[in-house]
Amino acid sequence: MGCITGKYFKMSANMPPKTKEVDDKGKIRIFQLAMLSAVVLLLAVCIIILAVFLSRDKMEICDNGYTVLPRDFENPSVFDGLTPTEYEAVKVYMFTKTNLSLVPTSKGTPRNAYIFMIDLLLPPKDKVIEHLDHGMIQPERKALVVVIRGDLSTGVVEEYEVSPLRCPTYHRKVNPHPIPFNFRPMDDPEYGRLFGIIKKATETLYPLLTESYGLAYHNCTPGENCMQFYDVAPRGINDNERNTWFWGFRAVEGLYLHPLGLEIQIDHAHRTFSDWNILQIVYNGQMRASPELLLEDYKKGNIKKLKIPTPTSEQNLYSTYKRRGKSEMNVPLQGPKLIEPDGHRYKIDGLHVTYMHWEFNINTKASTGVQLFDIKFQKERIAYELSFQEACVFYSGYGPAQGITNYYDVSWFIGAYINELVAGVDCPDTATFLDVDFFLKSENPLRIKKGICVFEEHAGVPLRRHYASDFHGSYYYYGGLGDYRLVVRSIANVWNYDYIFDYIFHLNGAIEVQVYSTGYVQSAFPLDDELQYGSKMASFMTANIHQHLFHYKVDLDINGRSNMYSTLDISTEKIKSPWYSDFNKTQFKFELNKKSTEEEANYKTANEARYDIFYNDQVENEFKHKRAYRILNHGKTPYLLSKSSETNAARWAKFPLAVSKYKDNEISSTSIYANNGPRNPVVDFEKFISDNESLENKDLVAWVTLGVLHIPHTEDIPSTTTAGSQVRFFVLPFNYFPECPSMSSPNAVHITPKGANDINLNTFGTSYNSNCIQKQNGPASYDGRVYDAN
């Protein structure tokens, strides 16, 4: 409707003056017209909204894209983990065809023999390469079986090779030296007995617990007044002990931040349960030999008492993940989400992944988690294996539990503690989720649903770009390519900490390996002497300085297995300028330094200026450069505990990068026995390199150490955030390709100006339009439980 003009109000000279009645009628008329305009406008808006809604309703769900095929359990590849049928076959064979007198795991005691773990045992690398590259028959699949031999007069742990997996007929012991019985990892039957001892102790201490904390362990109501106990490691101050400290926490969400100052040490080294006993108990920093003596002194007033009030829901909130604080938005709005307009641009066939020029195989171990094998780019093998090896957390502290704590997380089976991933939070809704199977401390194989996710993302930055300015207000051209990349992710929870493990594949032939730390800090009761090691973050809680360390194996095969390792050592020089008679310049220079032996190759400082390159000495590019790959470590950390015997099982941490000659028996830099035998480790990494073998034209393995020192602070409440806690390293091409291989990507954009207000846009055949909506699963699809894999 048009505007109301002045003609409607122009008064004729012959008309009588306006009366009040006429004036009122005019106002009514204006009001009616205004209302009509508003109704018309509202109707138009409704029509637009309805049209948008109806058009959205007609939009299709985005296509699935390339195929994703499930595992073929009948025909596993050489790298695939064991199938449920294979697990069962191995278990039945061990029970029926050996003379080990095995009992079910649930009935295992320190006097019995029982299966602790079954895992894939890879064939020798020579056999695998013959199969992959020369069409030879797939090597026989084998299993590694860990057996607890409590039935022997001197208990030991034994490891067996069992094959063939379809119908096992053969087994042999493979551990070269006896594994001490005290080094065995913990299992449910042992924990059950230990918590029984704690239950009996807390029954004695019931008056103390209710008065000091308003809590109980044996007689409580879950969610109201219960406490829980958790153990730390190592289990004693020498490798002959199995003396474990348990400490108490208030059983609420985020219990890790509610220590109670009550710690119990139990000796459980003996083979007979009746010989297990409490060695000491500490309450508010005061030690007694038994619960009875502690209670006696408590009642007599001979001990400094605690009175920790039961937190109200508000006070307790600091440890929960429930939202609190003033919101940034009056109405919650969804954040940005990924969309795949044409569906997945990667293929998955079981556990074999293909993405652009990349392809690789995924395997998962209960001990170490996700491993990648036979990684190729443009059909050329770059790495035979890229795998996580170990995560350690070394703590400082005063209290008996905090003061002894050093964790080797592979001994806690970080791979089996991979947990289900939440769509829309842990991984994008567009991700493909894969299940994880394992056989550990159980009588049947177990399955974690959606334990691994695979997804493509745009990193939010260009992989490369340039704006060529003409320096007169315009430009000659713009060229760019988004950093599209494929991510393989798993997240493992080991008690308080959650670790996010990423393998990332870029379009330029680079591999990025990244670890994030999140979850809760480990807290301690704030005794006066404890505060020198940490920060008080709540009334009855402090969190202490610690170091996270991560270790990776990178078995590079650059143009074959005959490789060299060299460094390009960067230094400075001061030279007299050839162009100016009175000018001297200080500048960089570099020189090639070939590493002939393992001793020459391994350095212990984190601040040397160098490039670390791996190459085949017989293969050059057109400019006579060696076609090489480079390892770039962005996660170097000073290792300050190298002289402590408690960290002997982490001697790899001395080396930001170590290089060794490949050996089939040097499978991993650590073992599942490290945490209970750290001083004389079953696998001593330094022995991999102490024999000082030649590295010239050999099959080489690189070992990369990442780490971060963490001094907890109040922003770690309720938990540590991933921002700033990540460490990473890269495997990068270095003169390997004639140019950046991402030049083949059709996702590039090239723009040149066209006249005053137009452009020539070239997207190389890729559409930037989308007329579909992404299917969203979101957190509502979460389950979170572990299932029987059969």
Side-chain angles (χ1 to χ4, degrees):
M1 183 174 179
C3 294
I4 301 174
T5 62
K7 68 179 182 179
Y8 291 100
F9 298 98
K10 186 175 181 181
M11 189 177 294
S12 168
N14 299 323
M15 290 178 67
K18 280 196 304 182
T19 64
K20 183 177 185 301
E21 180 181 355
V22 172
D23 194 48
D24 288 344
K25 287 181 179 180
K27 290 180 179 179
I28 292 172
R29 176 63 173 167
I30 294 172
F31 176 76
Q32 290 172 333
L33 291 171
M35 286 297 295
L36 181 59
S37 297
V39 169
V40 171
L41 180 60
L42 180 60
L43 183 61
V45 170
C46 291
I47 291 171
I48 293 171
I49 292 173
L50 182 61
V52 170
F53 179 80
L54 290 175
S55 64
R56 182 186 183 276
D57 224 25
K58 293 178 181 177
M59 291 178 72
E60 296 180 352
I61 299 295
C62 293
D63 188 72
N64 289 329
Y66 291 158
T67 56
V68 174
L69 300 175
R71 278 191 66 181
D72 182 356
F73 287 110
E74 296 301 315
N75 298 287
S77 81
V78 67
F79 298 116
D80 286 357
L82 271 63
T83 68
T85 301
E86 290 174 330
Y87 280 127
E88 184 67 18
V90 172
K91 183 188 75 171
V92 170
Y93 173 83
M94 293 297 293
F95 270 90
T96 60
K97 301 298 183 181
T98 67
N99 59 353
L100 298 179
S101 302
L102 298 172
V103 302
T105 303
S106 60
K107 300 184 183 301
T109 75
R111 293 285 184 184
N112 298 135
Y114 57 95
I115 295 173
F116 185 84
M117 182 178 72
I118 302 175
D119 207 345
L120 175 70
L121 182 62
L122 280 175
K125 183 177 178 180
D126 287 342
K127 298 290 186 184
V128 177
I129 295 297
E130 287 177 1
H131 164 61
L132 296 175
D133 293 356
H134 306 295
M136 302 296 287
I137 191 170
Q138 179 174 313
E140 194 174 77
R141 284 171 61 78
K142 301 178 181 181
L144 177 71
V145 183
V146 177
V147 179
I148 306 299
R149 295 299 307 275
D151 60 316
L152 302 177
S153 57
T154 300
V156 293
V157 181
E158 294 179 340
E159 297 181 343
Y160 291 89
E161 173 191 312
V162 177
S163 65
L165 293 188
R166 284 284 184 177
C167 185
T169 58
Y170 167 82
H171 71 280
R172 69 180 182 92
K173 190 162 59 175
V174 294
N175 52 296
H177 306 290
I179 299 170
F181 199 57
N182 273 353
F183 287 15
R184 72 191 187 279
M186 299 286 287
D187 56 33
D188 291 343
E190 187 169 12
Y191 273 124
R193 294 283 181 167
L194 290 168
F195 284 117
I197 293 173
I198 291 173
K199 180 176 181 291
K200 185 177 179 181
T202 55
E203 288 172 355
T204 300
L205 294 172
Y206 186 74
L208 178 151
L209 299 179
T210 54
E211 289 179 18
S212 297
Y213 313 117
L215 300 174
Y217 183 70
H218 76 287
N219 182 23
C220 67
T221 303
E224 293 184 13
N225 64 333
C226 290
M227 61 188 302
Q228 292 183 16
F229 284 86
Y230 290 91
D231 58 323
V232 300
R235 305 181 190 282
I237 58 174
N238 65 67
D239 287 346
N240 296 321
E241 294 181 349
R242 200 168 177 86
N243 301 334
T244 297
W245 280 102
F246 289 80
W247 46 1
F249 295 85
R250 188 178 297 276
V252 294
E253 183 176 323
L255 59 87
Y256 322 95
L257 304 186
H258 295 271
L260 298 173
L262 180 67
E263 300 164 48
I264 301 172
Q265 188 183 37
I266 302 175
D267 178 358
H268 53 118
H270 300 279
R271 307 272 296 287
T272 304
F273 287 137
S274 59
D275 291 330
W276 293 8
N277 64 289
I278 291 176
L279 294 177
Q280 47 200 342
I281 184 166
V282 174
Y283 167 82
N284 195 21
Q286 301 152 101
M287 183 180 292
R288 296 295 185 269
S290 69
E292 291 78 14
L293 289 175
L294 174 60
L295 184 63
E296 181 181 340
D297 281 351
Y298 181 86
K299 288 180 176 180
K300 290 179 178 179
N302 295 334
I303 202 164
K304 186 178 179 181
K305 296 183 178 181
L306 279 172
K307 187 68 174 178
I308 301 179
T310 300
T312 65
S313 58
E314 249 183 45
Q315 293 168 330
N316 181 45
L317 195 60
Y318 75 86
S319 66
T320 77
Y321 263 47
K322 294 175 182 175
R323 199 198 71 78
R324 54 188 176 269
K326 185 177 180 182
S327 175
E328 305 89 337
M329 297 175 286
N330 293 328
V331 177
L333 303 175
Q334 294 190 62
K337 295 183 178 182
L338 277 184
I339 183 171
E340 292 179 329
D342 298 317
H344 300 323
R345 304 198 301 175
Y346 55 86
K347 301 175 184 177
I348 301 179
D349 186 354
L351 296 171
H352 180 80
V353 181
T354 304
Y355 171 67
M356 304 301 179
H357 291 304
W358 289 106
E359 60 178 304
F360 53 87
N361 297 273
I362 300 173
N363 181 37
T364 309
K365 296 176 71 69
S367 55
T368 56
V370 175
Q371 305 175 310
L372 303 183
F373 287 95
D374 198 27
I375 302 171
K376 294 180 178 179
F377 188 83
Q378 294 183 350
K379 304 300 182 182
E380 295 186 3
R381 182 175 296 112
I382 304 301
Y384 176 75
E385 178 182 353
L386 176 56
S387 60
F388 170 75
Q389 298 291 298
E390 179 66 282
C392 293
V393 194
F394 296 147
Y395 284 90
S396 296
Y398 170 77
Q402 182 70 34
I404 201 173
T405 299
N406 285 327
Y407 293 129
Y408 295 81
D409 284 342
V410 164
S411 299
W412 299 77
F413 296 91
I414 193 169
Y417 283 102
I418 288 174
N419 43 73
E420 182 180 347
L421 300 166
V422 178
V425 182
D426 295 330
C427 310
D429 287 290
T430 56
T432 298
F433 293 90
L434 306 176
D435 297 341
V436 174
D437 292 353
F438 59 91
F439 194 112
L440 175 71
K441 298 186 283 187
S442 175
E443 291 164 21
N444 293 299
L446 301 174
R447 174 166 296 163
I448 300 168
K449 294 185 176 181
K450 300 182 180 179
I452 300 171
C453 69
V454 180
F455 60 92
E456 185 185 10
E457 66 175 357
H458 188 307
V461 297
L463 180 64
R464 49 178 170 79
R465 63 94 70 188
H466 181 64
Y467 174 85
S469 174
D470 68 357
F471 302 104
H472 295 287
S474 187
Y475 64 102
Y476 297 113
Y477 70 91
Y478 165 87
L481 172 66
D483 187 9
Y484 297 100
R485 57 194 198 169
L486 189 77
V487 181
V488 178
R489 173 172 295 168
S490 63
I491 303 179
N493 165 250
V494 187
W495 195 52
N496 58 315
Y497 267 109
D498 295 64
Y499 295 116
I500 303 171
F501 298 100
D502 283 355
Y503 297 97
I504 305 169
F505 296 86
H506 296 267
L507 300 181
N508 65 333
I511 305 170
E512 180 181 352
V513 180
Q514 187 162 243
V515 187
Y516 298 87
S517 301
T518 181
Y520 289 88
V521 294
Q522 176 172 293
S523 68
F525 194 75
L527 302 170
D528 290 342
D529 289 319
E530 198 76 70
L531 297 176
Q532 63 185 308
Y533 301 108
S535 305
K536 193 170 183 180
M537 295 158 61
S539 298
F540 296 97
M541 184 271 285
T542 184
N544 292 1
I545 185 173
H546 55 279
Q547 186 173 30
H548 296 273
L549 294 165
F550 306 95
H551 203 223
Y552 281 86
K553 179 181 183 180
V554 189
D555 181 1
L556 293 171
D557 287 349
I558 307 302
N559 287 296
R561 296 173 63 185
S562 178
N563 282 181
M564 297 285 291
Y565 165 56
S566 297
T567 58
L568 298 176
D569 297 331
I570 302 169
S571 59
T572 59
E573 64 176 4
K574 189 172 184 178
I575 63 167
K576 182 176 178 60
S577 172
W579 312 109
Y580 302 94
S581 59
D582 57 349
F583 177 68
N584 295 326
K585 183 186 180 184
T586 301
Q587 60 187 7
F588 299 111
K589 68 174 185 177
F590 69 89
E591 60 182 356
L592 179 71
N593 185 355
K594 290 187 177 181
K595 305 297 183 181
S596 299
T597 66
E598 290 174 328
E599 185 176 324
E600 291 178 13
N602 300 300
Y603 64 100
K604 300 179 182 179
T605 57
N607 58 355
E608 294 187 18
R610 61 198 290 167
Y611 272 34
D612 298 284
I613 59 173
F614 298 79
Y615 55 92
N616 186 320
D617 203 30
Q618 304 302 311
V619 182
E620 298 177 337
N621 67 12
E622 63 176 309
F623 304 109
K624 304 302 180 183
H625 298 304
K626 306 298 182 185
R627 292 184 65 206
Y629 257 76
R630 170 192 175 205
I631 291 180
L632 173 61
N633 189 345
H634 276 182
K636 295 177 183 178
T637 185
Y639 183 55
L640 307 177
L641 300 176
S642 59
K643 296 182 179 179
S644 168
S645 64
E646 308 300 313
T647 63
N648 283 351
R651 286 186 172 129
W652 44 262
K654 298 177 183 179
F655 308 98
L657 176 69
V659 181
S660 67
K661 177 185 173 184
Y662 176 89
K663 294 179 181 177
D664 281 320
N665 63 343
E666 292 178 349
I667 298 171
S668 177
S669 61
T670 188
S671 77
I672 61 175
Y673 315 105
N675 220 147
N676 295 341
R679 303 161 193 88
N680 298 285
V682 171
V683 175
D684 183 350
F685 176 75
E686 272 195 314
K687 291 181 180 179
F688 289 14
I689 56 180
S690 61
D691 52 3
N692 199 28
E693 292 192 85
S694 170
L695 297 181
E696 292 187 338
N697 302 310
K698 305 294 183 183
D699 190 353
L700 304 182
V701 179
W703 307 84
V704 181
T705 299
L706 311 168
V708 62
L709 285 159
H710 185 188
I711 301 175
H713 45 89
T714 52
E715 290 80 10
D716 286 320
I717 300 291
S719 67
T720 302
T721 55
T722 55
S725 72
Q726 70 270 42
V727 289
R728 60 182 176 170
F729 72 93
F730 291 86
V731 182
L732 300 165
F734 188 76
N735 292 319
Y736 190 88
F737 301 102
E739 64 177 356
C740 181
S742 71
M743 289 304 299
S744 67
S745 173
N747 295 132
V749 172
H750 191 274
I751 304 172
T752 57
K754 179 183 178 183
N757 299 305
D758 202 359
I759 61 172
N760 294 306
L761 172 62
N762 191 349
T763 62
F764 305 97
T766 300
S767 171
Y768 274 74
N769 297 320
S770 174
N771 59 355
C772 66
I773 56 174
Q774 190 70 45
K775 182 179 180 180
Q776 305 290 341
N777 294 315
S781 62
Y782 187 68
D783 183 348
R785 289 167 287 191
V786 178
Y787 288 86
D788 191 313
N790 285 325

